[in-house]
Short mmCIF file of all heavy atoms in Angstrom, two decimals:
data_model
loop_
_atom_site.label_atom_id
_atom_site.label_comp_id
_atom_site.label_asym_id
_atom_site.label_seq_id
_atom_site.Cartn_x
_atom_site.Cartn_y
_atom_site.Cartn_z
N VAL A 28 239.38 336.47 160.21
CA VAL A 28 238.74 337.66 159.67
C VAL A 28 238.92 337.81 158.17
O VAL A 28 238.37 338.76 157.58
CB VAL A 28 239.24 338.95 160.37
CG1 VAL A 28 239.08 338.82 161.88
CG2 VAL A 28 240.69 339.24 160.00
N LYS A 29 239.65 336.92 157.55
CA LYS A 29 239.87 337.01 156.11
C LYS A 29 238.55 336.98 155.36
O LYS A 29 237.67 336.18 155.64
CB LYS A 29 240.76 335.86 155.63
CG LYS A 29 242.22 336.01 155.99
CD LYS A 29 243.05 334.85 155.46
CE LYS A 29 244.51 335.02 155.81
NZ LYS A 29 245.33 333.88 155.34
N GLY A 30 238.42 337.88 154.41
CA GLY A 30 237.20 337.98 153.63
C GLY A 30 236.14 338.85 154.27
O GLY A 30 235.14 339.17 153.62
N ARG A 31 236.34 339.22 155.52
CA ARG A 31 235.36 340.05 156.22
C ARG A 31 235.92 341.42 156.60
O ARG A 31 235.19 342.40 156.58
CB ARG A 31 234.87 339.35 157.49
CG ARG A 31 234.21 338.00 157.23
CD ARG A 31 233.53 337.47 158.50
NE ARG A 31 234.51 337.21 159.56
CZ ARG A 31 234.48 337.80 160.75
NH1 ARG A 31 233.54 338.69 161.05
NH2 ARG A 31 235.40 337.49 161.67
N PHE A 32 237.19 341.46 156.96
CA PHE A 32 237.82 342.70 157.40
C PHE A 32 238.79 343.19 156.34
O PHE A 32 239.43 342.40 155.65
CB PHE A 32 238.59 342.49 158.70
CG PHE A 32 237.75 342.24 159.92
CD1 PHE A 32 236.39 341.98 159.83
CD2 PHE A 32 238.35 342.25 161.17
CE1 PHE A 32 235.63 341.74 160.96
CE2 PHE A 32 237.60 342.00 162.31
CZ PHE A 32 236.25 341.75 162.21
N THR A 33 238.93 344.50 156.25
CA THR A 33 239.89 345.11 155.34
C THR A 33 240.64 346.22 156.05
O THR A 33 240.02 347.13 156.60
CB THR A 33 239.19 345.69 154.09
OG1 THR A 33 238.47 344.66 153.42
CG2 THR A 33 240.23 346.27 153.14
N ILE A 34 241.95 346.13 156.04
CA ILE A 34 242.77 347.18 156.62
C ILE A 34 243.28 348.07 155.49
O ILE A 34 243.60 347.59 154.40
CB ILE A 34 243.94 346.61 157.44
CG1 ILE A 34 244.68 347.73 158.19
CG2 ILE A 34 244.90 345.81 156.57
CD1 ILE A 34 245.71 347.22 159.19
N SER A 35 243.35 349.36 155.75
CA SER A 35 243.86 350.30 154.77
C SER A 35 244.52 351.45 155.51
O SER A 35 244.31 351.64 156.71
CB SER A 35 242.75 350.80 153.84
OG SER A 35 241.74 351.47 154.57
N ARG A 36 245.31 352.21 154.79
CA ARG A 36 245.95 353.37 155.39
C ARG A 36 246.05 354.50 154.38
O ARG A 36 246.11 354.27 153.17
CB ARG A 36 247.34 353.02 155.95
CG ARG A 36 248.38 352.64 154.91
CD ARG A 36 249.64 352.06 155.55
NE ARG A 36 250.40 353.06 156.28
CZ ARG A 36 251.45 352.78 157.06
NH1 ARG A 36 251.83 351.51 157.22
NH2 ARG A 36 252.10 353.75 157.69
N ASP A 37 246.04 355.69 154.91
CA ASP A 37 246.20 356.89 154.11
C ASP A 37 247.32 357.68 154.78
O ASP A 37 247.09 358.40 155.75
CB ASP A 37 244.91 357.69 154.06
CG ASP A 37 244.99 358.87 153.12
OD1 ASP A 37 246.09 359.36 152.85
OD2 ASP A 37 243.92 359.31 152.63
N ASN A 38 248.51 357.52 154.26
CA ASN A 38 249.67 358.16 154.87
C ASN A 38 249.58 359.68 154.83
O ASN A 38 250.05 360.36 155.75
CB ASN A 38 250.96 357.69 154.20
CG ASN A 38 251.27 356.24 154.48
OD1 ASN A 38 250.88 355.70 155.51
ND2 ASN A 38 251.98 355.59 153.56
N ALA A 39 248.98 360.22 153.77
CA ALA A 39 248.85 361.66 153.66
C ALA A 39 247.97 362.23 154.76
O ALA A 39 248.16 363.37 155.19
CB ALA A 39 248.30 362.04 152.29
N LYS A 40 247.00 361.44 155.21
CA LYS A 40 246.10 361.87 156.27
C LYS A 40 246.49 361.32 157.64
O LYS A 40 245.79 361.57 158.62
CB LYS A 40 244.67 361.46 155.94
CG LYS A 40 244.11 362.11 154.70
CD LYS A 40 242.67 361.66 154.45
CE LYS A 40 242.10 362.33 153.22
NZ LYS A 40 240.71 361.89 152.96
N ASN A 41 247.57 360.57 157.68
CA ASN A 41 248.02 359.95 158.93
C ASN A 41 246.91 359.11 159.56
O ASN A 41 246.64 359.19 160.76
CB ASN A 41 248.50 361.01 159.92
CG ASN A 41 249.77 361.70 159.47
OD1 ASN A 41 250.60 361.11 158.78
ND2 ASN A 41 249.94 362.95 159.85
N MET A 42 246.29 358.28 158.73
CA MET A 42 245.17 357.48 159.18
C MET A 42 245.33 356.02 158.77
O MET A 42 245.90 355.72 157.72
CB MET A 42 243.85 357.99 158.60
CG MET A 42 243.48 359.40 158.99
SD MET A 42 242.93 359.52 160.71
CE MET A 42 241.37 358.65 160.61
N VAL A 43 244.84 355.14 159.59
CA VAL A 43 244.72 353.73 159.26
C VAL A 43 243.31 353.30 159.63
O VAL A 43 242.75 353.78 160.63
CB VAL A 43 245.80 352.88 159.95
CG1 VAL A 43 245.68 352.98 161.47
CG2 VAL A 43 245.72 351.44 159.49
N TYR A 44 242.74 352.41 158.84
CA TYR A 44 241.35 352.02 159.02
C TYR A 44 241.20 350.51 159.08
O TYR A 44 242.03 349.76 158.56
CB TYR A 44 240.49 352.53 157.85
CG TYR A 44 240.65 354.00 157.56
CD1 TYR A 44 241.54 354.44 156.58
CD2 TYR A 44 239.90 354.94 158.25
CE1 TYR A 44 241.69 355.78 156.30
CE2 TYR A 44 240.05 356.29 157.98
CZ TYR A 44 240.93 356.71 157.00
OH TYR A 44 241.07 358.05 156.72
N LEU A 45 240.14 350.09 159.71
CA LEU A 45 239.75 348.69 159.68
C LEU A 45 238.26 348.62 159.38
O LEU A 45 237.44 348.97 160.24
CB LEU A 45 240.06 348.00 161.00
CG LEU A 45 239.79 346.49 161.02
CD1 LEU A 45 240.76 345.76 160.09
CD2 LEU A 45 239.88 345.92 162.43
N GLN A 46 237.94 348.22 158.17
CA GLN A 46 236.55 348.01 157.79
C GLN A 46 236.16 346.60 158.17
O GLN A 46 236.78 345.64 157.71
CB GLN A 46 236.36 348.23 156.29
CG GLN A 46 234.94 348.00 155.79
CD GLN A 46 233.96 349.00 156.34
OE1 GLN A 46 234.23 350.19 156.34
NE2 GLN A 46 232.82 348.53 156.83
N MET A 47 235.15 346.47 158.99
CA MET A 47 234.72 345.18 159.49
C MET A 47 233.30 344.90 159.00
O MET A 47 232.37 345.63 159.33
CB MET A 47 234.77 345.14 161.01
CG MET A 47 236.13 345.48 161.59
SD MET A 47 236.19 345.34 163.40
CE MET A 47 235.09 346.70 163.85
N ASN A 48 233.16 343.86 158.22
CA ASN A 48 231.87 343.45 157.68
C ASN A 48 231.51 342.06 158.20
O ASN A 48 232.36 341.32 158.68
CB ASN A 48 231.89 343.44 156.15
CG ASN A 48 232.18 344.79 155.55
OD1 ASN A 48 231.76 345.82 156.07
ND2 ASN A 48 232.91 344.80 154.43
N SER A 49 230.24 341.73 158.07
CA SER A 49 229.75 340.42 158.49
C SER A 49 230.21 340.08 159.90
O SER A 49 230.71 338.99 160.18
CB SER A 49 230.21 339.33 157.51
OG SER A 49 229.76 339.61 156.20
N LEU A 50 230.03 341.02 160.79
CA LEU A 50 230.53 340.86 162.14
C LEU A 50 229.82 339.73 162.88
O LEU A 50 228.63 339.49 162.70
CB LEU A 50 230.38 342.17 162.91
CG LEU A 50 231.44 343.21 162.56
CD1 LEU A 50 231.00 344.60 162.99
CD2 LEU A 50 232.77 342.86 163.23
N LYS A 51 230.59 339.06 163.71
CA LYS A 51 230.11 337.94 164.50
C LYS A 51 230.29 338.25 165.98
O LYS A 51 231.15 339.04 166.34
CB LYS A 51 230.89 336.67 164.15
CG LYS A 51 230.89 336.30 162.68
CD LYS A 51 231.81 335.11 162.42
CE LYS A 51 231.83 334.74 160.96
NZ LYS A 51 232.75 333.59 160.70
N PRO A 52 229.50 337.61 166.82
CA PRO A 52 229.67 337.83 168.27
C PRO A 52 231.10 337.58 168.74
O PRO A 52 231.58 338.27 169.65
CB PRO A 52 228.69 336.84 168.89
CG PRO A 52 227.61 336.73 167.87
CD PRO A 52 228.33 336.78 166.54
N GLU A 53 231.79 336.62 168.13
CA GLU A 53 233.15 336.33 168.53
C GLU A 53 234.15 337.41 168.14
O GLU A 53 235.32 337.35 168.52
CB GLU A 53 233.61 334.97 167.97
CG GLU A 53 233.33 334.80 166.49
CD GLU A 53 232.05 334.02 166.22
OE1 GLU A 53 231.03 334.33 166.85
OE2 GLU A 53 232.08 333.09 165.38
N ASP A 54 233.70 338.40 167.38
CA ASP A 54 234.55 339.55 167.08
C ASP A 54 234.55 340.57 168.22
O ASP A 54 235.31 341.54 168.18
CB ASP A 54 234.09 340.25 165.80
CG ASP A 54 234.26 339.39 164.56
OD1 ASP A 54 235.31 338.72 164.44
OD2 ASP A 54 233.35 339.40 163.71
N THR A 55 233.71 340.36 169.20
CA THR A 55 233.64 341.27 170.33
C THR A 55 234.97 341.32 171.06
O THR A 55 235.51 340.29 171.47
CB THR A 55 232.53 340.84 171.30
OG1 THR A 55 231.26 340.94 170.65
CG2 THR A 55 232.52 341.73 172.54
N ALA A 56 235.51 342.51 171.21
CA ALA A 56 236.81 342.69 171.84
C ALA A 56 237.13 344.17 171.91
O ALA A 56 236.44 345.01 171.32
CB ALA A 56 237.91 341.97 171.05
N VAL A 57 238.18 344.48 172.63
CA VAL A 57 238.77 345.81 172.54
C VAL A 57 239.78 345.77 171.41
O VAL A 57 240.65 344.91 171.38
CB VAL A 57 239.45 346.22 173.85
CG1 VAL A 57 240.11 347.59 173.70
CG2 VAL A 57 238.44 346.25 174.99
N TYR A 58 239.65 346.70 170.49
CA TYR A 58 240.53 346.76 169.34
C TYR A 58 241.56 347.86 169.53
O TYR A 58 241.22 348.99 169.88
CB TYR A 58 239.72 347.01 168.06
CG TYR A 58 238.99 345.78 167.58
CD1 TYR A 58 237.91 345.28 168.29
CD2 TYR A 58 239.40 345.11 166.43
CE1 TYR A 58 237.25 344.13 167.87
CE2 TYR A 58 238.74 343.97 166.00
CZ TYR A 58 237.66 343.49 166.72
OH TYR A 58 237.01 342.35 166.29
N TYR A 59 242.81 347.51 169.27
CA TYR A 59 243.91 348.43 169.47
C TYR A 59 244.65 348.70 168.17
O TYR A 59 244.94 347.78 167.41
CB TYR A 59 244.93 347.86 170.46
CG TYR A 59 244.39 347.63 171.85
CD1 TYR A 59 243.81 346.42 172.21
CD2 TYR A 59 244.47 348.63 172.82
CE1 TYR A 59 243.32 346.20 173.48
CE2 TYR A 59 243.99 348.41 174.10
CZ TYR A 59 243.42 347.20 174.42
OH TYR A 59 242.94 346.99 175.69
N CYS A 60 244.96 349.94 167.95
CA CYS A 60 245.80 350.33 166.84
C CYS A 60 247.26 350.25 167.27
O CYS A 60 247.61 350.59 168.40
CB CYS A 60 245.45 351.76 166.41
SG CYS A 60 246.33 352.37 164.96
N ASN A 61 248.09 349.78 166.37
CA ASN A 61 249.51 349.60 166.67
C ASN A 61 250.38 350.13 165.55
O ASN A 61 250.07 349.97 164.37
CB ASN A 61 249.81 348.11 166.90
CG ASN A 61 251.29 347.80 166.95
OD1 ASN A 61 251.87 347.33 165.97
ND2 ASN A 61 251.91 348.06 168.08
N ALA A 62 251.47 350.76 165.93
CA ALA A 62 252.49 351.17 164.98
C ALA A 62 253.78 350.46 165.35
O ALA A 62 254.24 350.55 166.49
CB ALA A 62 252.69 352.69 165.01
N LYS A 63 254.34 349.75 164.40
CA LYS A 63 255.56 348.98 164.62
C LYS A 63 256.68 349.56 163.78
O LYS A 63 256.58 349.62 162.56
CB LYS A 63 255.34 347.52 164.26
CG LYS A 63 256.57 346.64 164.44
CD LYS A 63 256.26 345.21 164.01
CE LYS A 63 257.48 344.32 164.13
NZ LYS A 63 257.18 342.93 163.69
N GLY A 64 257.75 349.97 164.44
CA GLY A 64 258.89 350.50 163.73
C GLY A 64 259.59 349.41 162.96
O GLY A 64 259.87 348.33 163.50
N VAL A 65 259.89 349.67 161.69
CA VAL A 65 260.52 348.67 160.84
C VAL A 65 261.84 349.13 160.25
O VAL A 65 262.53 348.35 159.62
CB VAL A 65 259.58 348.23 159.71
CG1 VAL A 65 258.35 347.53 160.28
CG2 VAL A 65 259.17 349.42 158.84
N ILE A 66 262.18 350.38 160.44
CA ILE A 66 263.42 350.94 159.92
C ILE A 66 264.22 351.56 161.05
O ILE A 66 263.68 352.32 161.86
CB ILE A 66 263.14 351.98 158.81
CG1 ILE A 66 262.41 351.33 157.64
CG2 ILE A 66 264.44 352.61 158.34
CD1 ILE A 66 262.01 352.31 156.55
N ILE A 67 265.50 351.23 161.11
CA ILE A 67 266.40 351.83 162.10
C ILE A 67 266.39 353.34 161.91
O ILE A 67 266.44 353.83 160.77
CB ILE A 67 267.82 351.26 161.95
CG1 ILE A 67 267.82 349.75 162.27
CG2 ILE A 67 268.81 352.00 162.84
CD1 ILE A 67 269.14 349.07 161.99
N PRO A 68 266.30 354.13 162.98
CA PRO A 68 266.49 353.77 164.39
C PRO A 68 265.22 353.41 165.15
O PRO A 68 265.30 353.18 166.36
CB PRO A 68 267.09 355.06 164.97
CG PRO A 68 266.41 356.13 164.22
CD PRO A 68 266.29 355.60 162.80
N VAL A 69 264.07 353.36 164.49
CA VAL A 69 262.83 353.05 165.20
C VAL A 69 262.47 351.59 165.12
O VAL A 69 261.47 351.17 165.71
CB VAL A 69 261.65 353.91 164.69
CG1 VAL A 69 261.95 355.39 164.86
CG2 VAL A 69 261.33 353.58 163.24
N ALA A 70 263.24 350.79 164.42
CA ALA A 70 262.95 349.37 164.32
C ALA A 70 262.86 348.75 165.71
O ALA A 70 263.70 349.00 166.57
CB ALA A 70 264.02 348.67 163.49
#
């Protein structure tokens, strides 16, 4: 997806986005948002 998709986030709005351009049939899927803890105690 490099060069076609762009991920961004707006922490003030508690939002994360995925802009998908030049979509291909092989991009067909269920897309899931994920939050991964990186700092103790949520790591």
Side-chain angles (χ1 to χ4, degrees):
V28 307
K29 286 181 179 178
R31 300 190 297 120
F32 291 10
T33 302
I34 188 171
S35 61
R36 66 191 291 172
D37 186 335
N38 291 332
K40 296 181 179 179
N41 292 330
M42 299 287 290
V43 61
Y44 308 95
L45 185 67
Q46 178 66 46
M47 304 183 293
N48 299 324
S49 302
L50 283 161
K51 305 174 181 179
E53 49 263 46
D54 294 318
T55 296
V57 177
Y58 284 70
Y59 298 90
C60 184
N61 168 259
K63 179 182 178 181
V65 296
I66 299 176
I67 295 173
V69 301

